Amino acid sequence: MFHQRGGDGRLLLTLHIQPGAKKTEVCGLHGDALKIRLAAPPVDGKANAALLAFVAGLLEVSKAAVSLKSGQTSRRKVVEVQDAPADAVQRLLPDA
């Protein structure tokens, strides 16, 4: 499962990232992670910044509410979302 919700409204997301794609989009599951293609290149933290902004936009939370917990230089990342909406998982899955 790509997500884990804490009792305090916190949501942990396990993501598989493909940087340098033609467009930024969620493209389904990749094993136990949610796969996201990013248009940003994996240079100087640009892909990580684009990822956090993209997740914040999808979930309609502030950019400050989304943080990278692990995977700074890896394709596999864990992102934490504070005060995530109740329907966060449905917003992230393209066919939900």
Side-chain angles (χ1 to χ4, degrees):
M1 198 53 114
F2 73 91
H3 62 91
Q4 181 179 29
R5 189 175 282 278
D8 56 357
R10 187 173 52 99
L11 182 66
L12 288 176
L13 302 171
T14 302
L15 306 174
H16 178 82
I17 306 305
Q18 179 186 340
K22 289 185 180 182
K23 68 178 187 173
T24 298
E25 63 185 346
V26 175
C27 51
L29 296 176
H30 181 84
D32 66 342
L34 184 67
K35 184 173 181 179
I36 297 178
R37 291 185 183 124
L38 288 176
V43 178
D44 298 328
K46 289 180 183 178
N48 288 338
L51 171 65
L52 298 179
F54 178 66
V55 171
L58 282 177
L59 299 181
E60 298 178 357
V61 298
S62 70
K63 289 181 188 177
V66 182
S67 61
L68 185 61
K69 299 312 274 181
S70 68
Q72 186 74 24
T73 59
S74 171
R75 284 180 177 241
R76 185 172 180 89
K77 300 181 185 298
V78 175
V79 171
E80 180 181 70
V81 181
Q82 297 291 333
D83 300 319
D87 65 343
V89 174
Q90 290 78 17
R91 292 184 193 194
L92 292 169
L93 288 173
D95 297 322

